[in-house]
Amino acid sequence: MASWAGLSPSIVEYFEGEDSYRCGYCKNESGSRSNGMWAHSMTVQDYQDLIDRGWRRSGKYVYKPVMNQTCCPQYTIRCRPLQFQPSKSHKKVLKKMLKFLAKGEISKGNCEDEPMEPTMEETVAGDFALINKLDIQCDLKTLSDDLKESFESEEKKKGKSPKKEESKELIQSQRIEEKLGSGEPSHPIKMHMAPKPGKGADLSKPPCRKAKEIRKERKRLKLMQQSPAGELEGFQAQGEPPSLFPPKANKSNQPKSLEDLIFESLPENASHKLEVRLVPVSFEDPEFKSSFSQSFSLYVKYQMAIHQDPPDECGKTEFTRFLCSSPLEAENPPHGPDCGYGSFHQQYWLDGRIIAVGVIDILPYCVSSVYLYYDPDYSFLSLGVYSALREIGFTRQLHQKTSQLNYYYMGFYIHSCPKMKYKGV
């Protein structure tokens, strides 16, 4: 492990053997097992190397679970913010916050328990939704006929009999109706049978199209909604015929970025004001020192309401040791982020008071989330999900200045812990 030139080396005290202690997740009295060490001081590069190998810190205690022995295996989870695209549920959370800030609207349901990762049913529904979104611009009847005729022409080439073709058409028609929607269509889709041998072609029907052409048409429809006009023109320039449905000159078809969703402008008479402040974890910092009392009170309220901790387990000593004491030495290299490297509290101020605090470490290659505590009275805002999305956006912002900083670590993920479902990005 390496350190920045001119900085003191990391000083750690390794604890030999494996530690067994009470698990904070399943409450097993001695089921949690890990290797650990006390970090008196540590460079950010050394800690970066450690978390890349499965280690994490809790205050100044740095540990790594013994995965084949611990009761609740803990997996390092990270995402690539530059490739991150907010899902439908993410957008729902961000829009909910915007509505609350703009108009004071409060969601009826509590979404804090909703996982960020979609269920199997949601995934399937999403696939059908995409198909519907593309097909709704088309004449479903025409598309169904084209598909049917394409199958028919292929069967004729193989020498199938007319009776077999008719039964095949009925099966294909049923399949087409299933593919074109997750439910019943608003109006019946009438499936025309192909003209029987000896009869003339139905001139009222469109020309036969192959399934390959239909797939290309769908691809063009998808590109219209996702690609800039220039890219679409390039696609057509490669010998592709122009689409039957030209793109609308409307930016609403372009998906909004994470930044667009987070920083959407609010009206001048907005009901609430939200401000996010980045404060170094240091009692020498005046802003950290002045907000300490309010931040501690919020921590106690969170621990008692969300984790049902007794008051004697969430005192000022525990809070300071757990979330305000870091072994990381603050560093400000010339090519690093403007805020420097080290440990920080990202405070969420709503109308002049703190409603949430995200404890993070800014390291050479990532932003590492340590802990989040928030006001339970604002659980309806899904602050666990919202803060994670803000931290992903923050990582993207830091990357603009420091190109190698391109990961977001969400700490450990425990599959059996319901409170960690929101991490399933």
Side-chain angles (χ1 to χ4, degrees):
M1 292 184 288
S3 61
W4 296 101
L7 293 172
S8 301
S10 299
I11 301 174
V12 299
E13 183 178 355
Y14 184 73
F15 300 138
E16 188 176 356
E18 298 170 359
D19 296 330
S20 299
Y21 48 90
R22 183 174 182 270
C23 178
Y25 304 104
C26 69
K27 309 305 179 184
N28 187 316
E29 290 300 325
S30 60
S32 184
R33 295 177 178 271
S34 65
N35 296 308
M37 58 185 172
W38 188 263
H40 296 276
S41 67
M42 182 172 289
T43 65
V44 292
Q45 182 62 55
D46 282 349
Y47 186 56
Q48 175 74 68
D49 292 339
L50 284 170
I51 66 170
D52 286 343
R53 290 162 174 78
W55 292 73
R56 296 291 295 176
R57 75 172 185 88
S58 176
K60 290 190 173 184
Y61 181 69
V62 186
Y63 64 100
K64 180 179 181 180
V66 181
M67 298 296 280
N68 61 347
Q69 297 181 27
T70 191
C71 55
C72 296
Q74 302 167 50
Y75 299 91
T76 298
I77 181 172
R78 73 179 185 181
C79 81
R80 295 176 172 85
L82 302 184
Q83 286 78 43
F84 176 79
Q85 292 292 336
S87 68
K88 184 177 180 180
S89 62
H90 300 155
K91 294 176 183 178
K92 192 175 180 181
V93 170
L94 295 172
K95 289 178 180 178
K96 180 168 53 177
M97 175 63 81
L98 288 171
K99 287 181 180 179
F100 173 72
L101 295 176
K103 303 177 182 179
E105 292 184 10
I106 297 176
S107 176
K108 294 180 181 179
N110 183 352
C111 297
E112 192 64 39
D113 295 330
E114 295 181 4
M116 289 177 74
E117 55 185 342
T119 61
M120 180 62 71
E121 291 79 10
E122 289 173 339
T123 302
V124 173
D127 291 340
F128 279 123
L130 176 59
I131 294 172
N132 286 335
K133 189 174 181 181
L134 297 177
D135 286 345
I136 201 168
Q137 302 177 53
C138 309
D139 185 332
L140 298 183
K141 174 181 171 181
T142 300
L143 186 56
S144 301
D145 289 338
D146 291 342
L147 284 171
K148 184 268 301 175
E149 289 181 14
S150 177
F151 286 121
E152 178 195 31
S153 61
E154 290 180 5
E155 294 299 330
K156 283 183 177 180
K157 290 179 181 178
K158 295 178 181 179
K160 300 280 184 177
S161 65
K163 289 186 178 180
K164 288 184 179 180
E165 288 174 7
E166 289 184 14
S167 62
K168 185 81 172 181
E169 287 169 356
L170 181 59
I171 295 173
Q172 294 297 345
S173 299
Q174 293 172 348
R175 289 179 180 173
I176 292 167
E177 290 186 73
E178 292 173 357
K179 283 187 177 182
L180 291 179
S182 54
E184 292 295 326
S186 57
H187 57 83
I189 300 174
K190 189 174 181 181
M191 304 301 297
H192 292 285
M193 292 298 180
K196 294 183 179 181
K199 292 188 177 182
D202 188 353
L203 299 178
S204 65
K205 292 173 58 178
C208 176
R209 296 172 64 199
K210 292 184 179 180
K212 184 177 180 181
E213 293 176 351
I214 296 172
R215 287 196 299 270
K216 287 183 179 181
E217 180 64 25
R218 287 196 175 194
K219 185 175 180 181
R220 283 193 292 271
L221 289 170
K222 188 174 181 180
L223 285 173
M224 286 180 196
Q225 298 186 357
Q226 295 183 354
S227 302
E231 293 183 15
L232 183 61
E233 291 172 3
F235 181 83
Q236 293 180 352
Q238 297 174 6
E240 296 291 339
S243 172
L244 297 177
F245 308 98
K248 297 180 180 179
N250 189 349
K251 291 186 178 180
S252 62
N253 288 336
Q254 301 298 329
K256 289 186 177 181
S257 68
L258 178 61
E259 289 76 13
D260 291 337
L261 293 166
I262 291 175
F263 301 110
E264 187 170 328
S265 58
L266 296 172
E268 294 182 2
N269 59 343
S271 299
H272 301 282
K273 179 183 178 182
L274 179 67
E275 181 184 1
V276 181
R277 303 177 187 173
L278 187 68
V279 182
V281 176
S282 171
F283 285 99
E284 296 179 0
D285 183 85
E287 194 169 358
F288 179 82
K289 192 174 181 179
S290 64
S291 62
F292 177 83
S293 178
Q294 188 179 164
S295 183
F296 167 63
S297 299
L298 178 64
Y299 166 79
V300 173
K301 185 177 182 180
Y302 170 81
Q303 292 295 127
M304 293 179 65
I306 304 299
H307 296 286
Q308 288 79 48
D309 286 355
D312 59 337
E313 290 186 9
C314 47
K316 189 171 293 188
T317 302
E318 288 77 15
F319 172 66
T320 303
R321 183 174 62 238
F322 178 35
L323 299 174
C324 302
S325 180
S326 171
L328 301 184
E329 299 292 336
E331 302 176 17
N332 289 277
H335 300 293
D338 294 335
C339 58
Y341 298 121
S343 299
F344 298 84
H345 280 190
Q346 203 163 39
Q347 302 173 341
Y348 295 78
W349 291 76
L350 181 69
D351 301 332
R353 69 188 189 93
I354 304 175
I355 64 164
V357 177
V359 183
I360 62 174
D361 293 330
I362 300 178
L363 304 174
Y365 303 111
C366 73
V367 170
S368 174
S369 177
V370 178
Y371 200 68
L372 172 78
Y373 53 99
Y374 58 86
D375 190 336
D377 295 340
Y378 292 91
S379 292
F380 63 88
L381 291 174
S382 304
L383 291 171
V385 177
Y386 181 77
S387 64
L389 294 171
R390 290 293 300 242
E391 288 171 4
I392 291 173
F394 180 58
T395 306
R396 288 157 67 129
Q397 178 186 338
L398 295 178
H399 172 80
Q400 295 177 2
K401 171 73 185 298
T402 310
S403 59
Q404 74 271 16
L405 204 159
N406 51 20
Y407 283 105
Y408 171 60
Y409 281 68
M410 302 183 73
F412 284 139
Y413 177 76
I414 300 174
H415 182 71
S416 59
C417 180
K419 291 186 178 69
M420 292 196 178
K421 285 184 178 180
Y422 77 94
K423 292 187 177 184
V425 176

